[in-house]
Amino acid sequence: MTQPTSKLSLNAKVFYPTIFFLVVVIAYSLYNNEAFIAGAEAINQWTLKNFGWLFTWSAFLFLIILTVVYFSPLAKVRIGGNQAKPILSRWRWFATALCTTVATGILFWGTAEPLYHLYLPPSSLGLEPSSPEAAYFAMSTLFMHWSFTPYGIYTITGLVFALGYYNRARPFSISSLLFPFLKNKNSTNLGTVLDIICLTALVSGMAASLGTGILAIMGGLETTLGFTPSDALMGMIGLAIVATFIASAVSGLKKGITRLSNWNTRGFFVLAALLFFLGPTLAILKIGGAGLWDYGSHFLSRSTNIGANINSDWLKDWTIFYFANWYAWAPIAALFLGRLSVGYTVRDFIHFNLIFPSIFACTWMIIFGGASLAMDSETGGTLYQTLTSQGEGNVMYQIFESLPAGKLISIFALLVVFISYVTVADSNVSAMSAISSQGIRPETPEAPLWIKIVWGVLIGLIAWVMISSAGIDGIRLLCVLGGFPALFIIILAGLGMVKLLWERF
């Protein structure tokens, strides 16, 4: 399907209101940070108290919908039409989808999060801290937070957008997520409002992710090279990430992002293999196997919180926090992931955006989470001491430092972390810039470079402000605040997929 090309220009109705709102927020946070954090925390708690159940239930139901789609006639539909040709090979598609979604977080949280659950499991479960049972729960929780459920959120939004953009000639806009309900193809006013909402939400989510990236890189510099953590160092790391992804953005999708993703994915495989074979292999397999069993046997109850017996405070601090983060990213990620999928079928889309990345995430968590839990037990809790005294960003490097040639592995891991966050920033800023532009079509998919630069600098500034003033708690605030408005848009997209199934597309 071809469309007439058009000149690229700024979409002022989307760009300026979003920029204005974010600049005001940054200015206020710098002027009175204490009041800003208090206000954000109040909104955060209200959201979690009143809508926490909606985050978990909707994410679970998306997996049900995608399962039905996978086995339905809709699965055979080719994105872009029967004559459409792919723009990426299957490997590059997988690598790009993997590295531009939740794969960034697994580097930071894969070794740190299980230690929290090992020593601070939900009190309602009656688990003894640092016991084998707590370790199995910790591993099971990693699967819940990082595999099929979050990828289901991305997949359903990306798939609805891909079908609307390529098969129904809808605009490159968040409004295309709602195309099953919209008769007007342009929906200009609605699209503008939704784009502003989701841009604001994604800036929060991206700033949170960039914040974890900065902390992870700073932890690596401290552990491997002896740097002293400081606000100035965090600022320099953020600047380096932003500058690098802008350099990549010049090359566009087919060169910059896909090339970075290719290197990034290969780096993931190398790190996982090194830790698996040089680390406590048998303990990793034992803990990972037990965690998989616990995950499978409690998946339904913990997805719906029916009979799970997990207290609400723990759920708000962990599971709902994660789901809110995925929701904040999903609308913009949908535009990027949907854009990659032309030429492939709906079933292919589910393979490469849900099933394969989730299998990779489970494997990664078995290796990294299992190694973290096993090594902490073998060393009398030294990793947990590192976590509480030096921060989450240092745990992974301490694990690598304990391996043969640990210094070299740590330096390599530091490079992979850097590339990972550059890849995410590049891909999502690409999508953000595209919806801030007019004239985006399949034939002209890239926004002007100056728009990408503005978004990159703004996200870096927000990330630096939040982690400098509030640390990891600031990141958590950003995740929930960004995910709440996106929640309702994605639920409508999920209902739109049900409508497509009913109408057989």
Side-chain angles (χ1 to χ4, degrees), residues 204-433:
S204 300
M206 278 198 67
S209 180
L210 183 59
T212 60
I214 292 172
L215 293 176
I217 293 170
M218 187 168 66
L221 292 174
E222 179 184 4
T223 302
T224 62
L225 301 176
F227 280 72
T228 301
S230 66
D231 290 348
L233 180 59
M234 287 190 289
M236 287 188 288
I237 294 169
L239 281 174
I241 293 175
V242 172
T244 307
F245 93 70
I246 288 173
S248 170
V250 175
S251 302
L253 170 65
K254 293 186 180 181
K255 292 183 179 179
I257 297 173
T258 55
R259 186 176 297 163
L260 283 172
S261 298
N262 186 34
W263 295 341
N264 197 180
T265 303
R266 295 178 190 277
F268 284 153
F269 280 115
V270 170
L271 284 178
L274 288 171
L275 183 54
F276 181 74
F277 290 110
L278 298 178
T281 306
L282 293 178
I284 287 172
L285 291 173
K286 179 182 178 181
I287 296 172
L292 275 176
W293 175 261
D294 189 76
Y295 171 64
S297 58
H298 293 93
F299 177 76
L300 180 61
S301 61
R302 290 175 184 168
S303 294
T304 61
N305 201 30
I306 296 177
N309 194 33
I310 296 179
N311 50 291
S312 60
D313 287 340
W314 189 93
L315 280 174
K316 287 189 295 184
D317 288 343
W318 287 105
T319 302
I320 298 172
F321 152 69
Y322 275 122
F323 288 2
N325 190 24
W326 311 144
Y327 275 101
W329 282 72
I332 306 294
L335 273 62
F336 181 78
L337 295 174
R339 188 176 129 200
L340 303 178
S341 63
V342 62
Y344 291 102
T345 67
V346 168
R347 184 172 284 127
D348 289 332
F349 192 98
I350 296 174
H351 284 154
F352 284 86
N353 289 277
L354 173 61
I355 298 175
F356 297 158
S358 296
I359 292 173
F360 172 86
C362 288
T363 304
W364 180 278
M365 290 304 177
I366 288 173
I367 296 173
F368 281 77
S372 179
L373 293 166
M375 289 182 175
D376 183 79
S377 175
E378 293 171 358
T379 58
T382 57
L383 288 181
Y384 186 66
Q385 292 173 14
T386 298
L387 174 70
T388 55
S389 63
Q390 299 180 48
E392 295 84 353
N394 295 70
V395 175
M396 179 177 68
Y397 299 101
Q398 182 170 330
I399 290 174
F400 284 131
E401 290 278 334
S402 68
L403 302 178
K407 182 67 69 174
L408 290 176
I409 297 173
S410 293
I411 293 173
F412 177 69
L414 182 59
L415 177 63
V416 173
V417 170
F418 183 81
I419 294 174
S420 180
Y421 285 94
V422 169
T423 305
V424 167
D426 194 348
S427 61
N428 284 280
V429 168
S430 174
M432 294 170 62
S433 302

Side-chain angles (χ1 to χ4, degrees), residues 74-86 93 158-167 337-350 353 505:
L74 180 59
K76 299 178 181 179
V77 171
R78 188 167 300 278
I79 296 169
N82 293 331
Q83 305 304 315
K85 302 297 181 184
W93 188 22
L159 182 54
V160 172
F161 174 77
L163 291 171
Y165 183 58
Y166 284 114
N167 294 65
L337 295 174
R339 188 176 129 200
L340 303 178
S341 63
V342 62
Y344 291 102
T345 67
V346 168
R347 184 172 284 127
D348 289 332
F349 192 98
I350 296 174
N353 289 277
F505 196 66

